[in-house]
Amino acid sequence: MIGYYVHHHGRGHLHRALSVAAATDTVVVGMSSLPRPREWSGPWLELPRDDEGATPVDVTARGRLHWVPELDRGLTARMAEISSWIAAVEPSLMVVDVSAEVSLLARLHGTPVVTMVLPGDRRDAAHDLVHSVARRIVGAWPADVTGMVTGLDAHRDRLTCVGGLSRFDGRPAPAPPAPDGRTVVVLTGLGDETSWDVDAARQQTPSWTWHVLGAGDAWVDDPWDVLCAADVVVTHGGQNAIAEVAAARRPAVVVPRPRPFREQDAMAAVLATDGRFPVTVCPELPQTGWDELLTRTAALDGSGWSAWNDGGGAGRLAEVICEELERVPAPARSSGTWS
């Protein structure tokens, strides 16, 4: 049995966990501040939030961690629940996507840890510590892509890149867009604090049909058919969004959002310079030139996304988990049930 921690910001971490859990025969216990998703087949531990207390105090422990507000009841209850679960179940492995604090907590209990690493600048003390104690570090981008993350030089012997992975991998695509179609889909994220204002873009492109998907009333749980019908997708630079656009094999305009550790900036820089991927990267949402931008991007070959996401990412991450489980001595491997 393994634990799988899912960060609650956005939905990308959850979608990745769903794909990986479906690709392994091991009992996977999900844990998150998110409610149990209906698609999750195994046990689920819903954790208290650690960001709803009073004004947080010293959240980084003087720069050594990422989120440990002093005297926060939610944080105390959250960590206590994880500790109690580890003590009761004795899991063979913990997969963490992502939290420096949960990774360290599991390791302090003697539980081996596999941690995901996100793009960006990860040279800070907390990332360096968690990458030091993890058995394996997993990046969800292709192994032959460079420049995605800084700060792993001392840990690259334990880094495995599995490629982009999407909840849509393996799903048959509907019929492609008509050759003369002019449809653009705007894909924002559930974790975005504000939506893009695309009114100016609409006004400049009267011959294009626009669909905006994102937070609030525009949220669509399953955007697969809409994505596949797009001639161009306009999206931010989050890993999940890029993986889903790649799975649909649609050309994209990528506009990175501000994120901690320059996560999306790193992603956008790689996509812009690699040369294999059907993208046009803009540092911010353009105010003019939309018709030319969309027409130029629509002409790119969407099949180039196969170099980013070949559909096997979840399976390769499941293989990493299985490899680490094989390293656990047989008497220590948990085999009981829990719910």
Side-chain angles (χ1 to χ4, degrees), residues 95-319:
V95 180
V96 182
D97 185 8
V98 287
S99 167
E101 291 73 32
V102 172
S103 296
L104 294 171
L105 180 69
R107 188 63 189 87
L108 286 169
H109 283 75
T111 304
V113 172
V114 171
T115 184
M116 302 297 296
V117 61
L118 303 184
D121 187 346
R122 309 289 165 174
R123 291 176 291 182
D124 60 285
H127 276 116
D128 186 63
L129 177 58
V130 72
H131 294 149
S132 296
V133 304
R135 272 201 179 185
R136 298 284 285 276
I137 306 164
V138 179
W141 56 82
D144 61 352
V145 165
T146 60
M148 286 292 289
V149 61
T150 54
L152 287 182
D153 289 348
H155 315 296
R156 289 194 179 275
D157 59 319
R158 286 167 290 117
L159 173 66
T160 299
C161 296
V162 299
L165 60 99
S166 164
R167 56 181 161 156
F168 300 132
D169 291 342
R171 184 187 293 195
D180 58 349
R182 293 173 71 81
T183 299
V184 55
V185 170
V186 180
L187 185 65
T188 65
L190 192 61
D192 284 339
E193 294 79 9
T194 58
S195 298
W196 275 323
D197 183 359
V198 295
D199 287 345
R202 290 179 189 269
Q203 293 171 7
Q204 295 171 41
T205 54
S207 62
W208 287 80
T209 300
W210 287 71
H211 300 287
V212 179
L213 309 179
D217 294 338
W219 181 256
V220 175
D221 284 333
D222 187 344
W224 178 243
D225 289 349
V226 179
L227 282 177
C228 290
D231 294 282
V232 178
V233 178
V234 178
T235 183
H236 56 87
Q239 281 193 290
N240 187 62
I242 296 301
E244 294 192 345
V245 173
R249 303 292 194 258
R250 306 315 306 147
V253 175
V254 175
V255 184
R257 293 278 209 178
R259 288 292 184 268
F261 308 104
R262 298 184 59 82
E263 174 187 337
Q264 294 197 13
D265 295 306
M267 172 76 82
V270 167
L271 294 176
T273 59
D274 186 282
R276 291 176 291 174
F277 309 116
V279 298
T280 303
V281 174
C282 300
E284 58 187 21
L285 200 69
Q287 296 301 307
T288 61
W290 272 100
D291 191 71
E292 188 276 333
L293 173 63
L294 294 177
T295 300
R296 171 165 47 90
T297 304
L300 300 174
D301 184 0
S303 66
W305 278 122
S306 62
W308 185 271
N309 179 3
D310 63 3
R316 285 187 286 271
L317 180 45
E319 289 175 3

Side-chain angles (χ1 to χ4, degrees), residues 48-83:
R49 295 285 294 238
D50 60 356
D51 55 1
E52 296 180 339
T55 303
V57 177
D58 192 18
V59 298
T60 67
R62 296 180 178 83
R64 305 303 298 181
L65 297 170
H66 289 153
W67 187 260
V68 284
E70 289 183 346
L71 303 177
D72 185 284
R73 291 184 178 180
L75 176 67
T76 301
R78 179 188 192 84
M79 294 307 196
E81 286 203 20
I82 297 174
S83 292

